[in-house]
Structure formats: structure tokens, C-alpha cells
Amino acid sequence: MTKSVDPVLVEIVRNGVMAVTEEMKTNLMRTAYNMIIYEALDFTVGLFTADGQTVSIGLGLPTFIRGMAETIKAELKHFGKENIEPGDILLTNDAYITGSHLNHMTFSLPIFHDGELIAFACCMAHWQDVGGQLGGVTTDIFSEGIQIPVIKYARRGTVNQDLVDIIRMNVRIPERAMGDLRAQITAVKTGEKRFLELVTRYGRAEVLQAIQVIMDQSERAARARTSAIPDGIYEAQSFMDDDGVNVGAPIPIKVRVEVKGDEMIVDLSDVSRQVHGFYNSGITTGHACAQVAFKCLTSPRDYPINDGSFRNLTVIVPPGRVVSATRPAPMRWWMTFPMTVIDTVFKALGDALPDKVIAGHHADLCVSLVHGIDPKDGKFFLAHMGPLGGGWGAKLSEDGVSATVCINDGDTHNSPREQLEAKYPLLIERYALIEDSGGPGQHRGGLGCETVIRALTDVTMNASIDRAHCLPWGLHGGLEGTGNQVLLRRDGEWDKERANAKVLTVQLKKGDAYALRSGGGGGFGSPLDRPAGQVREDVQQGYVSRVAARDYYGVVLDPETLEINEAATADERAAAIPVHQKRVAAQGQQVRRLSAAELTQKPPGHAPIPCLRISCCGMVSFPFLENETPD
């Protein structure tokens, strides 16, 4: 236990460290060169104790919650505390330490006060290019770009220019990479300056003691809320489509959660072993999966985010799993599988915490990478399209949110279409919500989005999207949302068959286009219990089709006025009960929601058409004609 500290000072320090990390975040955004940092906000900043415990993390990517802390601990182990000096700045992008991919450059600045190491400021940010191959699925870490071990970027205030030159030579657009490097240095130096001001004003011992009090308070809150969960062992499973190498071979995701008193254990031992394709992540991400789910369930609004919140959480992650991969497993698309691991933890606790969990969500960034030669200046360009945003699962009390970035990326944003068109030879033809994509339920799942991008010059496109087949599941009688999709339009015609949502190293000619379609969220509760007035409003808003309103919600609307036919609705809902029960039983056994006609003609679990997704009204979900954009 920490000794008594003035509670007023505790609150000053609480808000002070949060203000420091927010200013670090702001300065990084204002000085970065690549849109993925200053618009998409693909980064996280934080303050840490002298031994690497999290003090405060600026709102950003939730799954970075362990990456920076473990990086600092690895740096302390590598150099020894006695060999870290004032003026040093440490750097690594070692994927097996950070838990993510080589694009995440992580700078750590030790903060000294009167010659004593008292804290660290850290910044992990996504560089758009770190060398390596641009397209296809990588199968080892060596093909993914430059690897930087734990090293000193600056030693006692002097920058290691040799290191800078090596980095510069290994990236395709060095002026942008160097700009992002300087922006990260600005961020960590901001953290150092503002934290020292806090210490100078209120006293070093007092501030450090207040931080320990904040952590103790976070622990007590987490324990109290964990105690409210019924004791027991909870399990769930799901899967990923494939690893991009063994196409069509599902990757199993199984989780086990044990609650006993005020302690929780999240066991990821049965998550798939590391895969051949680039969807692996390091063990720190395995721990982050459990911590993100735990934080959401026990203390989602308690700030600052700090290590005290996780003292009563035990995470079991054996090495060699897809979220604890070992060298030289490829890590390029590290962020995809962890989202479904988190989703599956929520699923496991669906009965124990029906008022806290959400149904499944689209669980993918739904991004694409486009590169080529810009005809305006003849220079190479690399464009990052997304994240797209999609549907989140519904809750016990409300509908799921639409057009929202997946859980892995938390506070990140999609890039403004105007900026993309201004900077790259691309035209955004469409960006819209997808009707009927949200899972039917008493509370409806959020809607996915569709964007159509036309190439204004010859380009190469890559999209490594998952969860086309593992649909976002419903809970407590709710039904699944639609899956993620990628479609191509070449020579004026849209394709209609694809084994998954991974489109790799595709050549598009000037005038060709592609569509990214994010999935919808799962529903919560039986759709037959959704008030008919709400279903009518959904149809009026274009969220649900009139056919789906009848087929899934049992609500009969006049085709002209959309008025509710009360008598027909009562009859339809009574007749739909057995059909709905079959749909619920069939969830997870097919790659699409089943129409009522199919359920009355075929038994649940029949072999579906593998490449097409069927919308909730029973129609192929891309029924557009030649030379038309999908709608």
C-alpha cells in the first residue's frame, strides 16, 4: 500500500498525465508527414514508470496497450538501467517485442530528474513504408522490411547519423519517413518537458506517489467489477477465413475465461498456432487482446489507462500461437486476427454479462494499399485507403453503431476522401452505408460501408481483408451481420466470385475500379421482438429493406405508404418463430444469412455456395448491372 497522499494532488496528477499524453498526441499529428498518422491517427503515445509500467496512454490503438510497455521493459533489460543516460532516445521496431509489424517505429525517451531516471515517454507510430515487398502475402519477417533491434537513436543528446542513413536508404519515400521520424521525436520530447514541469511544480516524490495511488484505485475498481461477474468457466470459439496462403482453410479461434472472486483468467492456449501467412502477431499482442476485452468489461471509462487496471487479470498465452508468434513468422498484417480474439472473449461472456457485451462486429480495418507512378509528377506513390469503418454488434440496450472503425484501431479515423483524391490519382465514386448489412435483432447490428475507388492511372492494388466467411454473430437470439467483401470492376464489368476478401497484387488499368464493403454488426435479441415502429423507421431511413423487414422482423409494410399492416404483421410474426429458431441454430454453419425460403426447403447447415454472400432479403448482395457501381 502507498502512504497517504493528498487526494487533491492525486486528481491534479491524474488529469496532468492525461494532459501530457494528449499534448504528445496533438504535436505528433501536427508535425507528421503521412496521412496514416495525421489523419487516420495510427499511433499511440504514453507515459511509463521507470520500470516500464503504464501510467497514461493517449487515446489511440487499444492493442498498443502492451506493446509500448513491453518495449520499454525490453530496452531496460537490454541496456541495463545503469547504462541509460540523460539525452538518450531508444528505438526499435522489433515485431516480436512490440507485438505488431515492422511499420511500427517505437521511440522511447527516458525522463531524468536531478540525475535519476523517473519515467519514460514513448511513441509508437505507423510508418507507411519500411521497405520489404509491396504486394502479396509474406511468409517470413525478412521480406517485410528493415528490422531495427533495440538501439539508441540518440546517445547523450547526439543522434546516431549512421542509423538514420541506414533507415533512409531502406524506405521508398525517405523525405516522408524522415518527417515522421522527427514528428515522433517531437512527441516524446513533449512528454519529457510536460512531465518534468508537473514534477517540478508539485514535487517528484509527491507526483510519483500520486501515480501509485491512481494505480491502486484502478486496481480496486477492476476487482470490484470483476467480483460482480458470476464465478465460472466460460468458453467460446470462432474462426478466421484463412491465412492468405492456404486459401479456404479456416483458422480456429478458441478462448477460455475463468472468473473466481475478484480475479479473471483469460486462456488463449487454444487459439490457432502461428500461420504461414502474414497474420501473426507477437506475444505482447496476445496479452493486449485479453487486456482490451477485460478493460471494456470492467472499467471502460476509468482514466488514465494504467497497469493498475490489470493487476487482477492473468493471461495465459503459450508461445507459437497466432497471437504469440515466434521468429521468423511473418507479421505484416498483425492487426487482423486479434480483433476476432477480443470479439470471441465477449462472446464467451455473453451469458454471464448480457448487459456489458456486444454481438460480433466486422472486425477488420477493411483497408487497401494502392501504388503506382503518379502521372502528374512521374513519382512513385503509395496510397493507404481506409480504415473503412463498418458495423458493430448490438447490445442489450441499443442498436450497434454503423460506419465505425474496428476495435483494434479504436480512436483511428478514416482518411478524408478529398485528401485522397487531391494527393493520389484516384477518384472516390461512392461512399455509403449498405442496406440490410446489420444483423437483425431486437436491437439491430450496425451497418457496414461501401466505397468504390476508380483508378485514374495504371495501379497495383492489395487488400488483405478477413471475416468474409466468419460472419459477425448475433447474441441472445440476434442474427449475424454480413461479412466483409472486396470486388473488382475491370473493363466495365464487376466480378461476382471470390474465394475470400483477399485481393493481392491486382493490376488495375486506368478507368478500372474496386469496391471495399465492410460487414455489419450482429443483432442482439430476437428480431421478432423489435417494435414494428422501429422497423418501419429503419426502412424509411434505408437501413433495412422492406423485404427484409417482412422476412426477418415479421413486419408487413404497405409498399406505397410504408404504413404497418397490424393484422398481417401479427400473423407473420407468429408464423416466423420456427424459422427464426432455425436461423439461430444455423449461425456459424454457413457463410451467409439464410433466407426463409431456404430454411423451409433445406435443413440447417446445408452446403452453401462458397463464393457468394446472400443478403437478408435472399438476394445476391452485389446485384448491380454492367457499368453500374454496386449499391
Side-chain angles (χ1 to χ4, degrees), residues 120-416:
F120 282 88
C122 188
C123 174
M124 178 187 285
H126 183 114
W127 285 22
Q128 190 146 353
D129 173 54
V130 289
Q133 68 185 63
L134 282 174
V137 178
T138 52
T139 55
D140 63 41
I141 194 70
F142 305 108
S143 57
E144 296 186 339
I146 184 172
Q147 297 185 69
I148 301 173
V150 172
I151 197 169
K152 289 190 177 183
Y153 163 80
R155 186 184 298 272
R156 286 179 286 183
T158 301
V159 171
N160 183 344
Q161 189 59 44
D162 291 339
L163 172 62
V164 174
D165 292 341
I166 290 171
I167 295 173
R168 185 191 298 272
M169 186 172 284
N170 278 275
V171 296
R172 293 176 174 86
I173 309 176
E175 62 272 20
R176 292 190 173 227
M178 294 300 104
D180 289 342
L181 183 155
R182 292 190 295 271
Q184 287 189 260
I185 298 302
T186 297
V188 294
K189 286 189 173 181
T190 298
E192 176 191 37
K193 177 181 179 182
R194 296 307 190 199
F195 188 73
L196 285 176
E197 288 176 354
L198 194 65
V199 167
T200 300
R201 183 169 184 177
Y202 296 105
R204 183 172 80 195
E206 289 77 7
V207 168
L208 298 182
Q209 288 168 7
I211 287 170
Q212 292 306 313
V213 169
I214 292 167
M215 290 188 181
D216 291 343
Q217 291 172 343
S218 297
E219 178 185 3
R220 287 194 295 273
R223 288 188 180 278
R225 290 163 187 162
T226 304
S227 296
I229 305 172
D231 286 359
I233 295 174
Y234 306 96
E235 297 178 318
Q237 60 184 6
S238 58
F239 66 93
M240 307 303 296
D241 295 343
D242 56 53
D243 68 354
V245 175
N246 301 302
V247 176
I251 311 298
I253 304 292
K254 299 179 181 179
V255 304
R256 181 180 186 272
V257 180
E258 181 176 353
V259 179
K260 188 174 182 180
D262 63 359
E263 299 276 344
M264 179 183 288
I265 299 172
V266 176
D267 188 346
L268 304 181
S269 299
D270 288 332
V271 169
S272 167
R273 292 191 175 274
Q274 61 192 57
V275 294
H276 295 298
F278 55 13
Y279 292 94
N280 301 290
S281 54
I283 194 167
T284 55
T285 294
H287 285 273
C289 290
Q291 290 191 335
V292 170
F294 181 75
K295 177 72 174 170
C296 289
L297 295 171
T298 59
S299 52
R301 298 184 180 181
D302 287 3
Y303 296 107
I305 298 170
N306 63 76
D307 272 2
S309 298
F310 308 108
R311 289 174 181 167
N312 62 319
L313 172 67
T314 300
V315 185
I316 301 174
V317 195
R321 303 303 189 265
V322 74
V323 288
S324 58
T326 57
R327 198 178 297 276
M331 311 274 272
R332 177 67 184 86
W333 225 249
W334 73 281
M335 73 294 287
T336 300
F337 285 18
M339 300 182 224
T340 295
V341 175
I342 296 169
D343 247 9
T344 310
V345 173
F346 294 153
K347 185 180 182 182
L349 291 164
D351 290 332
L353 292 171
D355 60 331
K356 293 287 194 299
V357 300
I358 62 170
H361 81 307
H362 67 291
D364 199 291
L365 286 169
C366 295
V367 301
S368 60
L369 299 175
V370 179
H371 67 269
I373 303 299
D374 193 330
K376 290 187 295 186
D377 56 15
K379 292 183 178 180
F380 172 83
F381 75 91
L382 177 59
H384 180 278
M385 310 297 295
L388 182 58
W392 278 56
K395 301 189 293 187
L396 176 67
S397 58
E398 61 186 81
D399 293 345
V401 294
S402 303
T404 301
V405 173
C406 52
I407 197 167
N408 175 78
D409 274 46
D411 198 36
T412 58
H413 303 168
N414 58 3
S415 300

